[in-house]
């Protein structure tokens, strides 16, 4: 098939399907047309024979995923957004596709439109000349560390031991045995890519001789096997900032996998897991705790002393305080990055004894007698009576 045929013919129209047709739809349409137009079914019919050849030619392109993709790219490139020309084609209106091929060859100094389109498709797929040997950033690495609640609140310095890819110390990352040097691949001349032609198109693919690196290593490094990267165990010191949350990630720039071809290293992300505290909880930058209280302490009032992470604090509990009330000790929470601190929130909760002595029971029964006129569920009882 000529270059002009590849660009100018509408193979979808030949098979009577849309450009969005599936492979099964294309096959079904071809088989139907092939039975109708086959020379054995139309003896002596030159028109049917020519149509049979056109249909077979169209199916030969559209049934091959790679060829169909190339064909669709060409149609989109030259259709100009108004559909692929069918009747007049590119030869109408004073425009000749052969002139286009000729001008492309003159302008590029190469293989004409095939090289021109090949360069276009390679750019779209990300395979540009030299891309295999360009500097590439190393991959990011993630690891986990577990710390205590107090360390998360105040901050800590934690040693971190991990095994991860790093530049080979034996060859310095070159991949070559010490004392030797890699040389430029003669097949791709160092670009890492080789170009092959297929009809009107030229396509680039990674060079098989150098595996796309553009370099040949005759004597690989015994440590890394020529990769320039080896797995090694290293110890880092990680500074955990104060106020870190459970599940938060800390980024250590440049501590990830090494870059290739002189590219920068990736980053290391440390995910922090915080052990819960036996007494304190956390709400943002505020610390929380629950303080059990006796009924008399809440009813008569008292002074409550509770621990903090760096000492203790005393608060006044007013007489008649209800169970569940929250007292606030300002500045006794988690220190923020700007220097301000959260608060300590203390929830007061009545502690009901499981067992009462006889004296305590008598005292409570006497209290119940003198307070029987007070009904704490008055509103609820009124609602029940109303029903």
């Amino acid at each position: 098939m000529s270059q002009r045929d590849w660009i100018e013919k509408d193979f979808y129209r030949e098979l009577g399907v849309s450009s969005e047709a599936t492979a099964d739809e294309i096959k079904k349409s071809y088989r139907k047309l092939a039975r109708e137009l086959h020379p054995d079914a139309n003896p002596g019919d030159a028109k049917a024979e020519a149509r049979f050849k056109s249909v077979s030619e169209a199916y030969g392109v559209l049934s091959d995923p790679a060829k169909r993709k190339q064909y669709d790219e060409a149609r989109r490139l030259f259709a100009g957004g108004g559909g692929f020309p069918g009747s007049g084609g590119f030869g109408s209106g004073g425009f000749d596709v052969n002139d286009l091929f000729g001008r492309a060859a003159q302008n590029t100094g190469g293989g004409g439109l095939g090289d021109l389109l090949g360069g276009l498709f390679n750019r779209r797929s990300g395979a540009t000349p030299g891309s295999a040997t360009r500097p590439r950033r190393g991959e990011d690495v993630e690891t986990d560390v577990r710390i205590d609640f107090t360390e998360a609140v105040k901050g800590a310095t934690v040693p971190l031991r991990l095994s991860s890819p790093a530049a080979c110390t034996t060859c310095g990352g070159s991949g070559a045995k010490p004392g030797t040097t890699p040389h430029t691949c003669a097949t791709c001349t160092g670009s890492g890519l080789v170009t092959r032609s297929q009809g009107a198109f030229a396509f680039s693919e990674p060079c098989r001789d150098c595996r796309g690196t553009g370099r040949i290593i005759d004597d690989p490094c015994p440590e890394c096997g020529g990769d320039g990267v080896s797995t090694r165990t290293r110890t880092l010191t990680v500074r955990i900032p104060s106020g870190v949350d459970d599940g938060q990630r800390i980024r250590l720039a440049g501590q990830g996998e090494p870059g290739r071809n002189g590219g920068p290293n990736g980053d290391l992300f440390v995910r922090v897991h915080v052990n819960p505290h036996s007494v304190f909880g956390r709400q943002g930058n505020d610390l929380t705790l629950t303080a059990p209280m006796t009924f008399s302490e809440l009813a008569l009032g008292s002074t409550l002393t509770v621990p903090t992470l760096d000492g203790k604090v005393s608060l006044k509990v007013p007489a008649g305080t209800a169970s569940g009330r929250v007292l606030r000790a300002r500045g006794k929470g988690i220190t923020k990055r700007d220097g301000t601190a959260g608060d300590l929130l203390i929830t007061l909760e009545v502690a009901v004894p499981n067992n009462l002595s006889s004296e305590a029971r008598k005292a409570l029964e006497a209290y119940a007698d003198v307070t029987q006129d007070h009904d704490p569920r008055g509103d609820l009882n009124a609602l029940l009576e109303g029903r």
Side-chain angles (χ1 to χ4, degrees), residues 208-233:
R208 296 182 180 180
D209 291 343
C210 65
R211 296 182 299 174
T213 64
R215 304 181 309 156
I216 296 293
I217 300 176
D218 295 322
D219 296 313
C221 171
E223 174 69 22
C224 64
D227 290 335
V229 176
S230 62
T231 299
R232 61 186 178 92
T233 301

Side-chain angles (χ1 to χ4, degrees), residues 7-8 10 71-86 90 95 100:
I7 300 298
E8 192 172 28
D10 190 343
Y71 174 67
D72 288 342
E73 289 282 359
R75 295 180 80 239
R76 281 192 290 269
L77 177 64
F78 291 102
F84 197 81
F90 289 102
F95 182 82
L100 177 61

Side-chain angles (χ1 to χ4, degrees), residues 2-9 88 90-91 96-98 101:
S2 68
Q3 294 175 329
R4 176 175 180 135
D5 288 338
W6 183 274
I7 300 298
E8 192 172 28
K9 289 187 177 181
F90 289 102
D96 190 342
V97 69
N98 290 326
F101 280 96

